[in-house]
Amino acid sequence: MLYKALIINIMLKNKYSIIAGPCSVNSEQELYKTAKEIHNYIDVFRCGVWKARTNPNSFTGSGDITINWLYNISKELELPVAIEVGIPSHIEKALKKNIRIFWIGARTTVNPFYINELCNVLKGENVEVWIKNPIYPDIKLWIGAFERFKSFGINNLKAIHRGFYPYYKSKYRNNPQWKLVDKFKEKFPEIEIICDPSHIAGNTKLLESISKKAIKKGMNGLMIETHCKPENALSDAKQQINPEQLKKLITYIH
Ligand code: PEP
Ligand code: MN
């Protein structure tokens, strides 16, 4: 209760938004429990539905059924929901259940063919699209994805800095490149940038310092992977925090 009052106060004063939720889930209960415990503290609930995994034998998310779970949660908790989309059918399925915030994953941003296909389905729809930076630090590719969306008349766009593949040994799973973020901001001063400390860190220890840095730099939001029981998560278990840890993080970074 104490946290609730404190955090709501922080949220009212904040100029940035908090996006949180699981990397992916294995069941409706897992998703619901996570959402229920954090919905008062966040602006948007995130969840991976179809996961683009490196290894085909890894868990690829719960797929289509997750859309129904998210629909129910969004309605009951009055919580906007954001999901990753990679192919047109993902968008078609989600729009039917009134999901209106989509993010483009790092593996998709790199591919102009995919971006075109997604733009074709999204054009004319009342949606918000968040574009993650591509895996490798090619700012032209990131900017190109924005220009492509804009050329289709899709202008409600935000950027997500999720770090870049480290070619050398690094304490990060994906190296943050704050200078590149500055360059992005010079090119598109009107576009808000969200930081994704979870995929930058790859663990839970570095989340606080990365979040603080992002807020200090004036970034507009934080996307934090949060799971009701991270140790049971079937993807990105090491980097997810539980609802209590999320609440602590929000108060710490303030
Ligand atoms: C995710 O957000 O769970 C994800 C897979 O992110 P990325 O595309 O940044 O790897
Ligand atoms: Mn993830």
Side-chain angles (χ1 to χ4, degrees), residues 84-88 91 102-123 129-134 140-152 154 157:
E84 176 179 345
V85 290
I87 52 175
I91 297 170
F102 302 114
W103 83 81
I104 310 300
R107 288 168 186 74
T108 306
T109 306
V110 296
N111 191 322
F113 289 130
Y114 282 160
I115 298 293
N116 267 349
E117 296 285 313
L118 300 178
C119 287
N120 264 318
V121 195
L122 286 169
K123 66 172 184 256
V129 181
W130 303 342
I131 305 175
K132 286 201 172 195
N133 65 255
K140 288 197 188 131
L141 202 51
W142 200 10
I143 286 173
F146 280 84
E147 282 171 347
R148 224 164 273 256
F149 273 95
K150 283 172 180 281
S151 73
F152 280 80
I154 303 160
L157 304 172

Side-chain angles (χ1 to χ4, degrees), residues 22-24 46-48 51-53 84 103-108 132-133 135 160 162-163 173-174 196 199 223 225 235-236 239:
C23 179
S24 67
R46 65 145 282 158
C47 181
K51 303 299 295 178
R53 302 306 296 272
E84 176 179 345
W103 83 81
I104 310 300
R107 288 168 186 74
T108 306
K132 286 201 172 195
N133 65 255
I135 290 173
I160 304 181
R162 51 78 81 195
R173 179 180 180 193
N174 292 290
D196 173 350
H199 289 88
M223 185 190 254
E225 281 192 337
S235 62
D236 287 348
Q239 71 193 32

Side-chain angles (χ1 to χ4, degrees), residues 132-202:
K132 286 201 172 195
N133 65 255
I135 290 173
Y136 41 93
D138 180 352
I139 189 161
K140 288 197 188 131
L141 202 51
W142 200 10
I143 286 173
F146 280 84
E147 282 171 347
R148 224 164 273 256
F149 273 95
K150 283 172 180 281
S151 73
F152 280 80
I154 303 160
N155 292 307
N156 197 358
L157 304 172
K158 288 182 183 168
I160 304 181
H161 175 222
R162 51 78 81 195
F164 297 87
Y165 183 79
Y167 289 97
Y168 304 98
K169 194 169 165 33
S170 167
K171 65 174 177 174
Y172 300 106
R173 179 180 180 193
N174 292 290
N175 286 338
Q177 294 230 12
W178 306 108
K179 289 211 173 86
L180 219 135
V181 171
D182 294 339
K183 273 199 190 145
F184 181 93
K185 203 69 199 165
E186 274 167 32
K187 170 77 185 166
F188 294 121
E190 75 289 1
I191 293 183
E192 292 194 358
I193 310 181
I194 297 163
C195 183
D196 173 350
S198 304
H199 289 88
I200 291 176

